[in-house]
């Protein structure tokens, strides 16, 4: 459901449009439910609850069931699905305010770092700077998550959407040592949040592309720049980090799906099932995520004390 976000969004649309009082979904019919899919299921359950309905999911794996519980999703679960032993742990949290971003980022990154196998901790793990990699993973991952959450909320909060909800799910895959992270909000979306720019985007694709450009912010207020906050670097930094770590990042808002925006390998797809809020999904290789690597990337932003101080 991450590899084909369009299919996941179509499922969400079908669930939301159902006239049934209890909408049933058989998770056994899904090949795999990855972070974006779990976030969208939690969102769908919340939407149905507001409409006086409920979502019933049959045969969900223990991992997905636990993630939905961690997201406080109002879902009725029946039956037990496969164990999904080939996948690593999945951690999930809801974020109701940007003030929670740092705490959530630190908590989830710590849990990912703690799951590194014991033999991994003892055997390898020294990079060329002599730093034990399992110690370096946590602050690097925390920085990525914190920047991502801060950026998502900056685009989700407007006068019409003063209190958006965000769902964050991250998963580590032992095969390939891959970390995948998804953040889904129910805010106004990128196009609406960037309407106040001097040259506002004309469509969702332009909005998604602008969101990845440095120093483009939905909070374009001089006093905030003076405080070195809301400088429009969140998605730019996350994209640069993911590229350096052999991964990728994509954003969905409205009918636009844009991966690695602003880079030579940028990909764009039009979605048949638009999403009103914003979805950001990223992945990278955990063993490449050392503190030194993040420091090297942040040298591009030496004129931005807010970022440079994070790893000084």
């Amino acid at each position: 459901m991450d590899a084909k976000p369009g299919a996941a969004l179509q499922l969400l649309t079908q669930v939301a449009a159902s006239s049934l009082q209890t909408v049933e979904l058989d998770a056994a019919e899904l090949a795999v439910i990855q972070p974006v899919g779990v976030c969208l299921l939690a969102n769908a359950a919340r939407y149905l609850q507001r409409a006086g309905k409920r979502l019933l999911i049959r045969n969900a794996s223990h991992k997905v069931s636990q993630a939905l519980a961690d997201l406080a999703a109002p879902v009725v679960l029946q039956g037990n699905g496969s164990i999904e032993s080939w996948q690593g742990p999945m951690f999930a949290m809801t974020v109701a305010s940007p003030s929670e971003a740092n705490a959530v980022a630190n908590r989830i990154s710590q849990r990912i770092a703690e799951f590194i196998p014991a033999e991994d901790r003892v055997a390898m793990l020294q990079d060329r700077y002599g730093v034990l990699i399992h110690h370096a993973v946590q602050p690097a991952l925390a920085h990525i998550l914190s920047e991502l959450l801060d950026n998502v909320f900056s685009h989700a909060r407007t006068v019409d959407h003063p209190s958006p909800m965000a769902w964050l799910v991250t998963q580590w895959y032992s095969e390939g040592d891959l970390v995948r992270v998804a953040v889904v909000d129910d805010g106004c979306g990128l196009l609406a949040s960037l309407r106040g720019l001097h040259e506002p985007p004309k469509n969702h694709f332009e909005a998604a592309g602008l969101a990845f450009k440095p120093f483009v912010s939905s909070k374009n207020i001089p006093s905030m720049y003076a405080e070195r906050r809301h400088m429009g670097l969140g998605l730019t930094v996350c994209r640069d980090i993911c590229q350096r770590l052999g991964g990728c990042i994509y954003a969905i808002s409205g009918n636009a799906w844009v991966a690695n925006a602003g880079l030579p390998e940028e990909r764009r797809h039009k979605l048949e099932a638009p999403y009103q809020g914003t979805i950001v999904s990223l992945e990278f290789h955990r063993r490449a995520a050392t503190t030194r690597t993040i420091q090297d990337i942040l040298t591009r932003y030496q004129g931005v004390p807010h970022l440079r101080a994070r790893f000084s």
Side-chain angles (χ1 to χ4, degrees), residues 94-201:
T94 57
V95 191
S97 166
S99 62
E100 301 176 10
N102 285 339
V104 170
N106 279 310
R107 182 175 175 184
I108 288 189
S109 60
Q110 187 64 46
R111 293 187 68 182
I112 285 286
E114 287 175 352
F115 196 83
I116 298 172
E119 61 271 20
D120 230 10
R121 294 172 181 268
V122 175
M124 93 183 184
L125 278 179
Q126 288 203 353
D127 65 10
R128 59 196 177 98
Y129 297 96
V131 178
L132 287 174
I133 292 179
H134 74 268
H135 289 311
V137 167
Q138 191 273 328
L141 180 56
H143 179 75
I144 295 172
L145 294 178
S146 179
E147 288 291 329
L148 182 59
L149 285 170
D150 183 71
N151 189 267
V152 164
F153 268 103
S154 74
H155 287 288
R157 294 167 65 91
T158 65
V159 174
D160 296 330
H161 293 78
S163 302
M165 176 70 75
W167 297 268
L168 184 150
V169 175
T170 183
Q171 185 166 9
W172 174 62
Y173 299 80
S174 55
E175 183 177 350
D177 202 19
L178 189 72
V179 175
R180 180 172 285 136
V181 180
V183 177
V184 173
D185 71 56
D186 63 351
C188 63
L190 296 176
L191 182 60
S193 70
L194 294 174
R195 287 291 192 191
L197 294 180
H198 177 66
E199 295 184 4

Side-chain angles (χ1 to χ4, degrees), residues 60-287:
S61 68
H62 173 74
K63 186 181 303 179
V64 171
S65 299
Q66 184 61 54
L68 290 171
D70 291 341
L71 294 175
V75 176
V76 178
L77 298 169
Q78 289 186 357
N80 296 311
S82 62
I83 302 299
E84 295 180 0
S85 59
W86 59 274
Q87 296 186 35
M90 179 180 286
F91 305 129
M93 292 188 71
T94 57
V95 191
S97 166
S99 62
E100 301 176 10
N102 285 339
V104 170
N106 279 310
R107 182 175 175 184
I108 288 189
S109 60
Q110 187 64 46
R111 293 187 68 182
I112 285 286
E114 287 175 352
F115 196 83
I116 298 172
E119 61 271 20
D120 230 10
R121 294 172 181 268
V122 175
M124 93 183 184
L125 278 179
Q126 288 203 353
D127 65 10
R128 59 196 177 98
Y129 297 96
V131 178
L132 287 174
I133 292 179
H134 74 268
H135 289 311
V137 167
Q138 191 273 328
L141 180 56
H143 179 75
I144 295 172
L145 294 178
S146 179
E147 288 291 329
L148 182 59
L149 285 170
D150 183 71
N151 189 267
V152 164
F153 268 103
S154 74
H155 287 288
R157 294 167 65 91
T158 65
V159 174
D160 296 330
H161 293 78
S163 302
M165 176 70 75
W167 297 268
L168 184 150
V169 175
T170 183
Q171 185 166 9
W172 174 62
Y173 299 80
S174 55
E175 183 177 350
D177 202 19
L178 189 72
V179 175
R180 180 172 285 136
V181 180
V183 177
V184 173
D185 71 56
D186 63 351
C188 63
L190 296 176
L191 182 60
S193 70
L194 294 174
R195 287 291 192 191
L197 294 180
H198 177 66
E199 295 184 4
K202 299 181 180 65
N203 53 53
H204 293 290
F205 282 101
E206 283 193 14
L210 275 174
F212 280 90
K213 288 187 175 181
F215 307 110
V216 173
S217 173
S218 60
K219 303 293 185 294
N220 192 2
I221 303 173
S223 63
M224 290 185 176
Y225 280 97
E227 297 172 4
R228 301 296 181 178
R229 299 181 59 202
H230 302 294
M231 298 190 68
L233 287 170
L235 286 179
T236 308
V237 172
C238 289
R239 181 199 62 193
D240 291 350
I241 291 172
C242 290
Q243 183 188 31
R244 180 69 172 269
L245 304 183
C248 63
I249 184 171
Y250 71 75
I252 289 174
S253 188
N255 65 348
W257 182 97
V258 180
N260 291 327
L263 297 177
E265 66 271 24
E266 178 182 299
R267 303 189 306 279
R268 292 186 172 194
H269 300 282
K270 184 177 180 179
L271 297 172
E272 295 182 4
Y275 184 72
Q276 177 177 323
T278 303
I279 299 170
V280 179
S281 179
L282 58 88
E283 64 180 40
F284 59 89
H285 296 283
R286 179 183 59 88
R287 293 195 186 206

